[in-house]
Amino acid sequence: MFHPRRTLAALLLPLAAGLSLAALPAQTAQAAATLTNGGFESDGTGTATPAGWSTYSAAGQNSASFTEAGGHAGSYRLTHWASTAYKVETYQSLTGLTNGSYKLTAWVRSGGGQNSAYIALKNCGGTEQRTALPVSASGWIRIVVPVTVTTNQCTVSINSDANAGNWINVDDLTFASGTSGLSIKGADISSLAKSEAKGGVYKTASGTTGDAVTILKNAGMNYARLKVWVNPADGYNDKAHVLAMAKRIKAAGQKLLVDFHYSDTWADPGAQTKPAAWAGHSYSQLKTDVYNHTYDVLNALKAQGTTADMVQVGNEINGGMLWSEGSTDNWAQLAGLLNSGYDAVKAVSSSTAVALHLAKGGDLSGTRWWFDNAVANGVKFDTIGLSYYGYWHGTLADFQTTLDDAASRYGKPVYVAETAYPFRLDSDDTLENIIDLSSELVSGYPATEAGQLAWTNAVADIVEAVPGGLGLGVFYWEATWTAVTGNGWDPTDASSGNGWENQALFGYDDRALSSMAWFSHR
């Protein structure tokens, strides 16, 4: 992925949350083994303490919690809002539970701006589990919170620590047996080898120089993604460098995703240029080229004891690959090329998962069109990867809709192949950053370390909530691509700048950012 062009982010329209209501007398919630009034339909509008629920505010601000019209599925919802700063908790205690694994599911919206806004499961016998409410002013988003109950009880808690005018909506909560979590907490570190060769340095948060792979692992990263170019102009991201980096990744106990671009340079929806060595080849020859190149790289990885765990046959192939022969204008030929790659992967290792990767993670119709055609043309694949950048690819709600649909429609696990977010807007080299204006940001997510962390966690939370346990996880794109002279975006131009260093997970002082905490996601 690389976009040397500028795209303005669409700003979400704020949604009025309703009027604050006078405090009503608190009701005594009846503890039960099942969640009562999870859809807030029992009371209509204006109830400060809905049936089955309790409200608590140390500052006597119970009226900041109330029911009102405008539910997710039904007629009503729970809202937290006040015209002044407030702290309020709406909670329900469950008793008589059979010990084991449970999962809370809720539909939420938030205008953002709170010090914190989250749903928690607490007093369950183990560590309290929380999921923050994503900032989504218009579309409802489903989030989950898993917990292990060991004391036959658990409390469902909806919390706001908010500033004046901040609001959340919560609705349709369910509490049932089950669990959730992410198996992939990864990052693309394709830029690392060249960065190090050009003098790039990586430090821990406290300033100790170290190995970037180790620093990322210690933060919780468990999966690395490496791109492969056929014969790149700068010599990097080729077979030899992938082999060397794979040894480091596997030595750190991490899994490996190999991302084949089938090009000598960047492949994305706007460019799928054949490698120079394949330029004059027939379609039949290109199928052999794809097979041989894929097999060669993967078999060499296997031979050195670093077998790939997942492989992407193509990178952001919305318009196909190896243009023009492999364009989506000719699905039969594209299918042949993709299956050639699939067959090569499985010939090396039958247990290696094969992914197909599209950009535009919020584009429901486009994603359906592509995969419907792939299935109709007999394309073989094991999993679906989507790039999702919130400043280009639609709202978080759009993304959830698309991701959920891909998982259910094709019955395949899904993951985020790429996401990122800026922790600042200014540049650390002479090239203007791709995202460098506040108007380009996603509403509610500032260009700070905290904003970067909140964004990545929001994306991860949506993947975790994919029904059926089909959400695998997230790869953060180019975590190590700091501004280092000679390691610019253009492999043919040593003086080209980066444009992405403000979205790395290492700061301009080379230290690990606090936003690396997203790797410790469930």
Side-chain angles (χ1 to χ4, degrees):
M1 172 276 167
F2 192 75
H3 301 264
R5 58 187 181 275
R6 308 180 56 75
T7 310
L8 290 176
L11 297 177
L12 296 175
L13 295 174
L15 183 73
L19 299 176
S20 176
L21 299 170
L24 297 176
Q27 301 168 17
T28 302
Q30 297 300 311
T34 56
L35 198 65
T36 300
N37 193 22
F40 303 101
E41 295 298 302
S42 298
D43 310 289
T45 295
T47 302
T49 304
W53 296 84
S54 300
T55 306
Y56 173 76
S57 173
Q61 298 169 304
N62 285 16
S63 61
S65 171
F66 55 92
T67 55
E68 63 178 345
H72 165 255
S75 299
Y76 302 99
R77 67 194 184 205
L78 177 74
T79 290
H80 285 180
W81 179 88
S83 59
T84 58
Y86 63 94
K87 294 182 182 181
V88 71
E89 175 189 17
T90 308
Y91 66 96
Q92 184 171 154
S93 297
L94 304 176
T95 59
L97 297 172
T98 300
N99 288 338
S101 298
Y102 290 86
K103 182 171 68 174
L104 179 80
T105 302
W107 287 89
V108 301
R109 294 190 297 199
S110 172
Q114 298 90 350
N115 300 314
S116 63
Y118 61 90
I119 298 180
L121 295 176
K122 62 183 185 179
N123 305 327
C124 311
T127 304
E128 177 178 331
Q129 297 293 318
R130 295 182 179 182
T131 300
L133 269 64
V135 181
S136 177
S138 52
W140 289 94
I141 293 176
R142 185 185 59 256
I143 60 173
V144 296
V145 191
V147 76
T148 300
V149 173
T150 60
T151 55
N152 304 113
Q153 62 184 6
C154 195
T155 298
V156 177
S157 173
I158 303 165
N159 279 267
S160 292
D161 178 356
N163 298 298
N166 294 164
W167 61 269
I168 64 170
N169 299 151
V170 179
D171 205 1
D172 294 337
L173 293 94
T174 59
F175 183 84
S177 296
T179 188
S180 66
L182 302 180
S183 59
I184 297 174
K185 290 169 275 192
D188 192 304
I189 55 172
S190 298
S191 61
L192 181 56
K194 187 175 180 181
S195 174
E196 291 172 334
K198 300 295 181 181
V201 173
Y202 298 88
K203 300 178 180 180
T204 64
S206 60
T208 303
T209 299
D211 176 69
V213 175
T214 303
I215 293 169
L216 289 163
K217 176 196 175 179
N218 289 342
M221 176 174 140
N222 66 4
Y223 222 124
R225 180 178 186 256
L226 297 176
K227 70 168 175 269
V228 189
W229 288 342
V230 176
N231 187 24
D234 62 0
Y236 289 89
N237 302 117
D238 62 355
K239 173 184 168 184
H241 284 93
V242 167
L243 287 170
M245 189 59 70
K247 286 185 177 180
R248 291 171 59 183
I249 290 165
K250 291 284 189 168
Q254 307 201 5
K255 291 187 176 182
L256 173 65
L257 166 60
V258 179
D259 173 21
F260 285 91
H261 283 227
Y262 302 111
S263 180
D264 293 333
T265 187
W266 302 98
D268 59 41
Q272 295 283 339
T273 305
K274 286 194 287 281
W278 307 356
H281 291 189
S282 66
Y283 169 66
S284 179
Q285 285 175 303
L286 288 171
K287 284 200 293 182
T288 301
D289 292 331
V290 167
Y291 187 97
N292 288 346
H293 170 59
T294 307
Y295 186 94
D296 179 51
V297 173
L298 297 178
N299 197 51
L301 284 165
K302 181 181 178 181
Q304 71 172 13
T306 61
T307 301
D309 299 282
M310 191 189 301
V311 168
Q312 287 182 200
V313 177
N315 186 77
E316 295 191 332
I317 51 175
N318 300 60
M321 66 185 197
L322 293 167
W323 289 347
S324 59
E325 287 81 357
S327 163
T328 50
D329 290 337
N330 190 332
W331 262 102
Q333 290 193 172
L334 174 57
L337 293 168
L338 293 172
N339 283 340
S340 189
Y342 178 96
D343 291 342
V345 176
K346 297 299 183 177
V348 174
S349 168
S350 60
S351 63
T352 297
V354 176
L356 297 178
H357 170 210
L358 301 187
K360 305 180 182 179
D363 180 6
L364 175 63
S365 61
T367 303
R368 273 188 177 180
W369 174 85
W370 199 96
F371 277 99
D372 281 358
N373 275 287
V375 170
N377 283 274
V379 176
K380 296 176 284 189
F381 62 101
D382 301 318
T383 186
I384 293 171
L386 298 178
S387 293
Y388 175 61
Y389 296 96
Y391 35 73
W392 290 324
H393 295 155
T395 66
L396 287 165
D398 292 334
F399 165 58
Q400 181 167 72
T401 299
T402 305
L403 194 69
D404 287 354
D405 184 75
S408 62
R409 190 175 180 89
Y410 309 106
K412 302 289 188 181
V414 294
Y415 69 99
V416 174
E418 301 179 15
T419 194
Y421 204 76
F423 62 92
R424 58 195 293 172
L425 293 175
D426 60 320
S427 184
D428 196 27
D429 62 14
T430 57
L431 182 67
E432 182 182 20
N433 289 333
I434 293 173
I435 301 298
D436 69 339
L437 299 174
S438 58
S439 59
E440 295 171 310
L441 298 174
V442 179
S443 179
Y445 293 92
T448 61
E449 289 181 52
Q452 187 182 49
L453 174 60
W455 172 261
T456 313
N457 273 333
V459 172
D461 288 337
I462 285 173
V463 180
E464 184 187 13
V466 174
L470 291 175
L472 295 177
V474 176
F475 289 93
Y476 191 93
W477 196 70
E478 283 290 14
T480 56
W481 200 9
T482 52
V484 175
T485 302
N487 192 23
W489 72 270
D490 187 352
T492 69
D493 180 4
S495 67
S496 65
N498 179 329
W500 202 261
E501 71 271 16
N502 67 325
Q503 301 195 60
L505 294 181
F506 290 87
Y508 291 4
D509 59 0
D510 301 321
R511 296 187 183 204
L513 299 175
S514 59
S515 44
M516 275 191 200
W518 91 264
F519 287 119
S520 62
H521 194 282
R522 287 182 296 267

